[in-house]
Amino acid sequence: MDDTPRSAPTPLARLRVAASAADFTRSCDARTGSLLAALAAARPAGRVLELGTGVGEGTAWLLSGMDRAARLTTVELDADVQAIAREELSADPRVTFVTADAGRWLEEYSGDPFDLVFADTWPGKFTHLERALDLVAPGGTYLIDDLTPQPDWPESHAAAVTRLLAELDAHPDFRSVRLAWSSGLVMAVRGAREGARSRR
């Protein structure tokens, strides 16, 4: 079966051109993007959090799946990189761009939880994991990517991925599934069962 996405968000082509011009090579893979769009579509009026805007390719996929009542907060440390996403996508009233260190943002955030959290940067994945998981609403989804080993990975990173996978597998509040697909994903769903712990 050919898993190439059959459609893509309209802004994606322009974002890819801008990413190439900026020598930005860490954008969301199209197959991951198609999954993000499907997960966002499953949450009518959903609250979505993206950690790591980059140039906005993942943001565009999320917006393409969201309905009119859904809202997306996307956080990025690099203002120059995020400026590309802002220029292309900020006219959409459903998205709020935050330029900040995602770790600090996670520490300081005190609002409502999210139905979908996509952690595409270090904080919320390799650091501040428990805080990111705290922000997933009951029945909500936490998604991470870029877990397939790469030749340029330092040995320490491979060990960090191993620890992360083990922690998610063992987490009592989430049911996780590893997807050896796209760039290597883990999708974890927060249980809504009676007696599930809440750290909020």
Side-chain angles (χ1 to χ4, degrees):
M1 181 178 66
D2 181 3
D3 63 358
T4 303
R6 292 291 177 262
S7 61
T10 300
L12 198 62
R14 295 189 295 272
L15 289 168
R16 286 175 175 169
V17 170
S20 179
D23 198 28
F24 185 83
T25 61
R26 300 186 303 277
S27 288
C28 174
D29 177 78
R31 289 171 296 169
T32 299
S34 67
L35 177 59
L36 288 172
L39 292 172
R43 295 291 181 174
R47 292 174 47 78
V48 181
L49 172 64
E50 179 185 37
L51 300 171
T53 311
V55 299
E57 291 190 34
T59 313
W61 281 106
L62 287 165
L63 289 169
S64 74
M66 290 163 48
D67 68 8
R68 292 181 181 180
R71 295 294 180 265
L72 166 64
T73 300
T74 181
V75 184
E76 171 63 46
L77 175 62
D78 189 327
D80 292 336
V81 168
Q82 193 187 58
I84 297 171
R86 286 178 180 268
E87 181 176 354
E88 188 62 46
L89 302 171
S90 62
D92 192 321
R94 299 172 299 167
V95 60
T96 298
F97 289 96
V98 177
T99 305
D101 176 86
R104 179 170 294 180
W105 185 90
L106 285 166
E107 292 169 356
E108 296 177 352
Y109 178 78
S110 60
D112 292 332
F114 295 89
D115 301 298
L116 171 60
V117 174
F118 175 45
D120 194 22
T121 189
W122 206 266
K125 185 189 298 187
F126 297 108
T127 70
H128 302 83
L129 173 64
E130 197 62 39
R131 179 57 183 149
L133 295 176
D134 280 349
L135 296 183
V136 179
T141 299
Y142 169 84
L143 185 74
I144 52 176
D145 63 351
D146 299 330
L147 299 174
T148 298
Q150 299 298 316
D152 60 349
W153 275 13
E155 184 177 350
S156 61
H157 187 62
V161 170
T162 298
R163 287 192 299 271
L164 171 62
L165 294 175
E167 187 167 353
L168 287 170
D169 285 343
H171 201 292
D173 294 349
F174 285 82
R175 176 65 62 89
S176 296
V177 57
R178 300 183 187 187
L179 304 174
W181 174 78
S182 184
S183 63
L185 311 176
V186 171
M187 182 169 65
V189 176
R190 188 182 191 100
R193 67 187 186 282
E194 183 178 354
R197 292 184 298 153
S198 173
R199 298 176 180 82
R200 288 186 56 77

